Amino acid sequence: MDKIKLTVTAVISALMSWLGILAVPVFLMVGCNFVDYITGICAATYRQDQVSSYKSIRGITKKVCQWLLVLLGAWVDILINYAAEYTGIKITIPFVVATIVAVWLVVNEIISILENMLDIGVSMPPFLMPVIKYIKQQVEDKATITEGEGSEEKEHE
């Protein structure tokens, strides 16, 4: 039993060390994925929806695609670091893009969980959903880069 505990601790520690800034959002995302899936199944009966294997597989596919989005964000971060290194810029950027993607996905999962709970009939503090939606909006606002930013000045010259 001690060998199992030691192995699990070593694996989690290595993963946390490798993920760095991305570790907390990734672990939150894992938890939220499971809770959202379970509350979604429970809420389906209250919504008078039928739970089917097709809908379950579709939900699992969406969760897998969320993981792929985080992976793509990590690849963008790796690409940025690679480009910086080979252009002589002496900076190392942690998983910034991947972290923003993961945080945005976690917030969306929390919103979905809260909506499922409302459908089940759970009393909700009136401030909770607006707080979560505010956090989502802040993440979107801080991470938004408009296309062609600065190009208007060049067009008017």
Side-chain angles (χ1 to χ4, degrees):
M1 188 65 161
D2 285 340
K3 285 185 179 184
I4 294 171
K5 285 182 183 178
L6 182 63
T7 303
V8 169
T9 302
V11 168
I12 290 174
S13 296
L15 188 59
M16 294 282 285
S17 175
W18 181 73
L19 289 173
I21 188 175
L22 190 56
V24 171
V26 163
F27 284 112
L28 286 173
M29 196 167 137
V30 170
C32 284
N33 283 158
F34 285 115
V35 172
D36 183 46
Y37 186 77
I38 299 300
T39 58
I41 289 171
C42 293
T45 58
Y46 289 89
R47 292 183 199 122
Q48 317 234 323
D49 288 343
Q50 281 190 335
V51 177
S52 68
S53 58
Y54 171 76
K55 287 182 181 177
S56 292
I57 294 298
R58 192 169 158 216
I60 291 169
T61 302
K62 284 175 68 174
K63 304 296 182 208
V64 169
C65 287
Q66 288 178 352
W67 287 98
L68 291 175
L69 282 174
V70 175
L71 181 63
L72 290 173
W75 288 351
V76 169
D77 289 321
I78 291 167
L79 185 62
I80 290 169
N81 282 321
Y82 177 82
E85 178 183 342
Y86 284 97
T87 56
I89 301 170
K90 303 288 182 198
I91 60 168
T92 301
I93 300 171
F95 291 116
V96 176
V97 175
T99 300
I100 293 169
V101 170
V103 167
W104 186 83
L105 289 168
V106 167
V107 172
N108 277 325
E109 289 288 280
I110 291 171
I111 290 169
S112 179
I113 292 165
L114 293 175
E115 289 170 347
N116 290 338
M117 293 174 123
L118 285 171
D119 288 347
I120 291 169
V122 175
S123 295
M124 195 74 53
F127 62 85
L128 191 54
M129 187 68 83
V131 165
I132 299 302
K133 287 184 177 180
Y134 176 77
I135 293 168
K136 179 183 177 186
Q137 189 61 53
Q138 291 301 304
V139 171
E140 289 173 353
D141 289 349
K142 300 296 183 230
T144 300
I145 299 173
T146 56
E147 223 176 290
E149 208 167 87
S151 62
E152 289 177 17
E153 294 174 5
K154 292 178 183 176
E155 289 175 8
H156 295 302
E157 290 178 356

